[in-house]
Amino acid sequence: GAWDLFRVQLVALLRKNWVLKKRAPVTTAVEIFLPVIFMCLLVFGFELSEVEVFPAGVYNGRYLNGTALASAFGVAGAGAGTGAGFGTSTSVDDLLNVRGSLDAILNGPLPVPSLAQYVGIHRLTRGLTSSVENELLSQNRFGRLFGNILTLGTVHLSPDVPAVRALEGYLEAEADAPQDFKVRVHAGEEAAVDAILGNPGEQTWALVHFDALEPCAVDYVIRVNYTTIPNTWSRVRFVARGLDTEYQKYWLSGVLTLQRALHGFLLHLADPAAAARIEKGERPLGPADAGEPLANAPYVPMPTAAYSQNIFYRAVGYLLGFFKAIALMYPVSQLTRAVVEEKELRLRQTMLSMGLGYPALIASWLLTALVQFTATALLVTVVMCATFLANSDPLLVFIFVEAFLVSTISLALLLSTAFSRAKLAAVAAPMLYVGLVVPKFAWFTTDRNESAGAKLATSLLSPSAFAFGADFLADYEYAEVGVTWANAGSEPFSFAAVIWVMLFDAAWYLALAVYLDQTLPTQFGAPRHPLYCLPEGARAAVAAVLPRCCGGDALAA
């Protein structure tokens, strides 16, 4: 029967491939062990790296230290505590030293500054030259932390109703700095956004939009530049260790200050006399922050346990996927060359013309490469899990590596369809293969769970998918957690999702390789009909609906 014929042909082809492998033992050994050698180089770097040990941290004993604050702002040469601020002679290095001095303050209990206090902090930076300010803003971390303090843009309000006009007057009075603090009112939220985007020369602090502003109904939203506040794509960062200072962005960006000012204004609505003034568009009178909880409530970080971290994962971890792709260049080159060489020497056409079935031919290449690549996956897994992936589950790591290598086999077969010369394929295919890692780095600065759909789409390129998975391994090992069955699928864009996508990649690469191998024009035999995989009736129906400009007549032939 057909199955018996397939089995006989497959065994014969596997024997042929085995003989070819035995005739080149050095090449075969290099194909299997070269990725392992590359992993050993990473192990060497891991052994040279140092482990940093951090003690337990308790932060409720630290208080706002006036001496430290005066020292931090004393770099201007005007004397600590004079309030003179930064002078034109202040350098970027001076301000980076200020950032270090402020850590002792920012990591302890912090009260929420009032609007006047926040604007006052901005006044300290007015003496900076534009070149120093631009250099600070260009530095990713410093610019994100202190961008609003350095530039202090306009606060935009909407909609344009009397109560919002009253808020405008209230904020201007609280800031008491007409030269530094500006408020604009817009007809609606869309109009405010259009005005902000249409005037890029004017810095924006925030947009505050009210859906309701009445004594018994208040509903508002504060919109700020997303780079100035913590990323909220993940509700819990369970792999984080030590004090995560991202929360400080709420203080430094002025979001809490704006909330304090808004709540101070809204509490006046509880007073009938003040509410009547607000309804007329007049700012309320009386003390600010009357009864506002944020006025006298500092926030304090939770204690952190002692932990240790190896900087190897931060220094090299994000390059693990790229490094692995380079390690597979030679095996990919040899597999692609062997497939193309069989076509170039007319061996395939000869075997097919003598009755060899095409499925047996493809299956023989798949199984031969699968045995070889599985041996590589086992060795690589042993090396990694015995060294720098000690906290991760070995079986899960093996499945991850094996899924990548299986997709690599299908990808090599797909690449082989584009070549008719073996030497050219041996050089170009591995370069194309490594190039498929590059799209992953388009998401280098994003949060792991941000743009999950786009990252899954990028993972349709299996080298990029492997690089995403390698980032999970590095991050989890850095946190001394490791990737396990319990956390592999715990995030919207997860380690388990990467494995499933790579298995899907293997399937669609193989299907596309088989299709292109039989339909692309080639000097080795006549190509099959573009719609050969459809029944004859369906083929005619599809060809009939295609426009003539797309070759409908040719497809129907």
Side-chain angles (χ1 to χ4, degrees):
W3 169 250
D4 292 332
L5 178 61
F6 171 81
R7 181 174 55 82
V8 171
Q9 291 179 346
L10 178 59
V11 171
L13 289 171
L14 290 176
R15 185 179 297 113
K16 181 263 295 184
N17 291 343
W18 169 246
V19 171
L20 293 176
K21 292 292 183 182
K22 285 202 306 181
R23 288 178 179 176
V26 175
T27 301
T28 302
V30 172
E31 290 181 51
I32 294 175
F33 291 102
L34 185 60
V36 182
I37 294 173
F38 269 77
M39 290 301 105
C40 289
L41 293 177
L42 288 180
V43 172
F44 179 72
F46 174 74
E47 295 298 331
L48 292 179
S49 61
E50 297 181 358
V51 178
E52 295 181 278
V53 179
F54 298 89
V58 179
Y59 309 97
N60 62 352
R62 301 179 182 181
Y63 297 96
L64 192 60
N65 189 318
T67 302
L69 186 61
S71 174
F73 290 104
V75 298
T82 63
F86 300 107
T88 56
S89 62
T90 303
S91 67
V92 174
D93 290 337
D94 292 331
L95 291 170
L96 292 177
N97 291 333
V98 168
R99 174 69 181 97
S101 301
L102 285 176
D103 282 341
I105 301 172
L106 295 176
N107 292 348
L110 281 175
V112 178
S114 66
L115 188 58
Q117 291 169 340
Y118 192 87
V119 174
I121 295 174
H122 164 71
R123 285 202 191 112
L124 294 173
T125 69
R126 285 192 302 184
L128 295 177
T129 61
S130 59
S131 61
V132 171
E133 183 175 307
N134 290 335
E135 186 173 350
L136 287 174
L137 293 174
S138 67
Q139 297 187 21
N140 192 40
R141 176 163 176 77
F142 204 102
R144 290 191 177 192
L145 283 175
F146 297 101
N148 283 354
I149 292 178
L150 291 173
T151 59
L152 192 66
T154 303
V155 173
H156 297 263
L157 305 176
S158 68
D160 189 358
V161 296
V164 173
R165 287 291 180 179
L167 174 60
E168 176 189 18
Y170 176 85
L171 294 177
E172 291 175 343
E174 289 302 310
D176 193 22
Q179 293 183 347
D180 300 293
F181 180 73
K182 294 181 175 59
V183 183
R184 299 189 189 280
V185 180
H186 304 271
E189 186 175 15
E190 292 186 4
V193 172
D194 291 340
I196 293 170
L197 298 179
N199 187 14
E202 181 183 29
Q203 298 290 338
T204 297
W205 182 359
L207 164 61
V208 182
H209 173 72
F210 286 88
D211 289 317
L213 182 53
E214 301 173 359
C216 296
V218 175
D219 185 9
Y220 72 91
V221 61
I222 300 177
R223 298 177 61 176
V224 296
N225 189 329
Y226 79 96
T227 62
T228 63
I229 57 175
N231 194 305
T232 55
W233 284 95
S234 299
R235 288 176 291 181
V236 178
R237 295 183 61 187
F238 65 90
V239 296
R241 305 296 295 272
L243 179 63
D244 186 352
T245 58
E246 284 290 291
Y247 72 92
Q248 296 173 4
K249 289 183 178 180
Y250 288 115
W251 193 92
L252 295 166
S253 66
V255 170
L256 294 176
T257 295
L258 285 176
Q259 283 187 327
R260 174 177 172 176
L262 291 173
H263 292 176
F265 170 81
L266 297 174
L267 287 172
H268 284 89
L269 292 173
D271 180 9
R277 290 181 58 87
I278 291 174
E279 291 177 357
K280 296 177 183 179
E282 302 174 1
R283 70 179 181 89
L285 304 177
D289 294 326
E292 160 53 28
L294 290 177
N296 300 304
Y299 58 92
V300 185
M302 295 291 291
T304 56
Y307 65 100
S308 61
Q309 288 181 327
N310 192 325
I311 60 173
F312 168 83
Y313 300 105
R314 286 300 181 195
V316 182
Y318 69 95
L319 292 174
L320 180 59
F322 188 75
F323 202 73
K324 181 66 174 177
I326 293 177
L328 288 172
M329 287 182 68
Y330 186 72
V332 169
S333 171
Q334 292 303 300
L335 176 57
T336 309
R337 181 197 61 79
V339 175
V340 176
E341 188 175 51
E342 192 176 66
K343 293 189 295 183
E344 185 179 4
L345 297 177
R346 305 297 199 276
L347 296 176
R348 191 174 81 161
Q349 280 302 113
T350 301
M351 291 187 292
L352 291 175
S353 63
M354 295 176 65
L356 175 65
Y358 185 78
L361 178 66
I362 295 299
S364 68
W365 284 115
L366 284 175
L367 292 177
T368 302
L370 184 62
V371 172
Q372 174 186 313
F373 279 62
T374 299
T376 299
L378 283 170
L379 294 172
V380 167
T381 301
V382 170
V383 170
M384 292 194 300
C385 291
T387 53
F388 57 87
L389 295 184
N391 296 305
S392 297
D393 186 278
L395 178 59
L396 196 56
V397 174
F398 171 74
I399 294 174
F400 170 66
V401 177
E402 180 73 356
F404 174 55
L405 294 183
V406 170
S407 68
T408 296
I409 296 171
S410 297
L411 182 56
L413 294 177
L414 175 59
L415 293 174
S416 70
T417 63
F419 301 98
S420 58
R421 292 289 180 265
K423 290 184 178 180
L424 178 61
V427 174
M431 298 176 70
L432 292 172
Y433 175 76
V434 172
L436 296 180
V437 184
V438 176
K440 177 265 176 186
F441 292 98
W443 311 103
F444 183 71
T445 60
T446 61
D447 183 84
R448 182 162 46 242
N449 291 313
E450 188 176 353
S451 303
K455 290 179 180 178
L456 287 173
T458 305
S459 297
L460 292 177
L461 306 174
S462 64
S464 289
F466 182 82
F468 280 125
D471 285 349
F472 280 102
L473 289 171
D475 288 345
Y476 282 48
E477 287 290 339
Y478 185 64
E480 296 183 314
V481 175
V483 176
T484 64
W485 296 99
N487 59 33
S490 58
E491 301 180 69
F493 181 68
S494 64
F495 187 76
V498 169
I499 294 176
W500 283 112
V501 172
M502 287 193 294
L503 293 175
F504 175 76
D505 289 344
W508 85 270
Y509 289 162
L510 180 60
L512 186 59
V514 170
Y515 176 79
L516 294 179
D517 189 39
Q518 299 191 75
T519 58
L520 286 179
T522 175
Q523 58 181 314
F524 311 121
R528 299 186 67 177
H529 192 282
L531 302 179
Y532 79 92
C533 51
L534 298 179
E536 187 172 349
R539 183 190 310 175
V542 172
V545 300
L546 291 178
R548 291 180 178 271
C549 62
C550 295
D553 291 343
L555 291 175

